Amino acid sequence: MRVVIAEDSVLLREGLTRLLTDRGHEVVAGVGDGVALIKTITELADRGELPDVVVADVRMPPTHTDEGVRAAVQLRKAHPGLGVLVLSQYVEERYATELLADSSRGVGYLLKDRVAEVREFVDAVVRVAQGGTALDPEVVAQLLGRSRKQDVLAALTPREREVLGLMAEGRTNSAIARQLVVSDGAVEKHVSNIFLKLGLAQSDGDHRRVLAVLTYLNS
């Protein structure tokens, strides 16, 4: 896996680099602001060396507001195959929604505290690089919480809501079954019911999993 890291804290940037390289991945560049990130990705793409994934802080210089996520959204539009995982100190619902709005594949939004859980963090980076989704449980909780207020979840049972929350974190059916201590068949039934109740027609399974989450975001 080839990675570009965008983080203005040199210590954190070097720490992320070490985490990934120690596990056999290649960090091809590290930058400290959104402008440098876009310039680096553009240069790599022009050489036919587009990385698999970008790991970027939401807030970067010069204003430390939304430079990172703005750069991420711009890069996803220019390079749809590029995975983007953004890191944030706090759950910022608007940024998560904006990042997920245009495309449902190769997207991640994690809180920085999650980096301390090394295995989960690296797994999330790999999942996003491979076109999957990785959403922090706290991000999912806030997004689904907003949806509940809008009655989007009215048709789902409590267990189906729980399954959907775990789906949104990027977990497979088997992982959900282990988490809830139920059979794989039971999870498959819940997932099918979720798709049915949300009006998601039968198509590619992975795509529908993400659309189930996007249904809430766009409601």
Side-chain angles (χ1 to χ4, degrees):
M1 183 176 68
R2 300 176 69 251
V3 188
V4 169
I5 298 174
E7 167 59 58
D8 62 297
S9 167
V10 176
L11 287 177
L12 181 54
R13 188 165 71 235
E14 292 301 318
L16 293 174
T17 299
R18 181 66 179 270
L19 281 180
L20 293 167
T21 55
D22 282 354
R23 284 154 184 79
H25 304 297
E26 181 185 1
V27 176
V28 296
V31 298
D33 61 71
V35 173
L37 172 59
I38 292 173
K39 181 175 183 291
T40 297
I41 295 300
T42 300
E43 291 175 349
L44 289 170
D46 288 344
R47 298 201 300 265
E49 300 174 359
L50 190 70
D52 300 300
V53 61
V54 166
V55 178
D57 191 355
V58 165
R59 299 173 180 265
M60 288 194 291
T63 68
H64 292 280
T65 54
D66 60 358
E67 283 84 356
V69 75
R70 293 290 182 195
V73 170
Q74 182 175 334
L75 287 172
R76 284 183 59 75
K77 290 179 179 178
H79 309 284
L82 176 67
V84 173
L85 173 63
V86 299
L87 302 176
S88 180
Q89 193 70 40
Y90 311 101
V91 177
E92 300 180 87
E93 184 180 313
R94 177 169 63 88
Y95 297 152
T97 303
E98 184 175 6
L99 187 66
L100 289 161
D102 292 331
S103 177
S104 60
R105 301 184 66 83
V107 179
Y109 188 111
L110 296 181
L111 296 184
K112 287 188 175 180
D113 288 347
R114 204 66 58 189
V115 176
E117 300 172 19
V118 175
R119 182 174 178 180
E120 288 190 20
F121 170 71
V122 176
D123 285 348
V125 177
V126 172
R127 191 159 65 245
V128 170
Q130 294 174 343
T133 307
L135 296 180
D136 194 282
E138 291 190 34
V139 174
V140 173
Q142 284 207 18
L143 296 176
L144 297 187
R146 183 187 71 173
S147 300
R148 290 190 186 99
K149 295 176 184 177
Q150 298 173 337
D151 294 327
V152 180
L153 296 181
L156 302 184
T157 67
R159 177 61 93 180
E160 287 165 355
R161 295 178 186 178
E162 192 173 10
V163 169
L164 180 55
L166 293 170
M167 286 167 55
E169 292 174 26
R171 298 178 187 269
T172 64
N173 284 4
S174 295
I176 294 173
R178 290 194 297 272
Q179 177 78 15
L180 300 180
V181 195
V182 297
S183 68
D184 287 1
V187 173
E188 290 174 5
K189 182 176 180 180
H190 288 313
V191 172
S192 295
N193 287 339
I194 290 168
F195 292 155
L196 179 64
K197 291 178 180 179
L198 295 182
L200 298 175
Q202 185 172 0
S203 60
D204 177 73
D206 289 337
H207 189 55
R208 285 201 295 173
R209 294 176 80 87
V210 179
L211 284 178
V213 178
L214 293 181
T215 297
Y216 295 105
L217 302 181
N218 295 327
S219 63

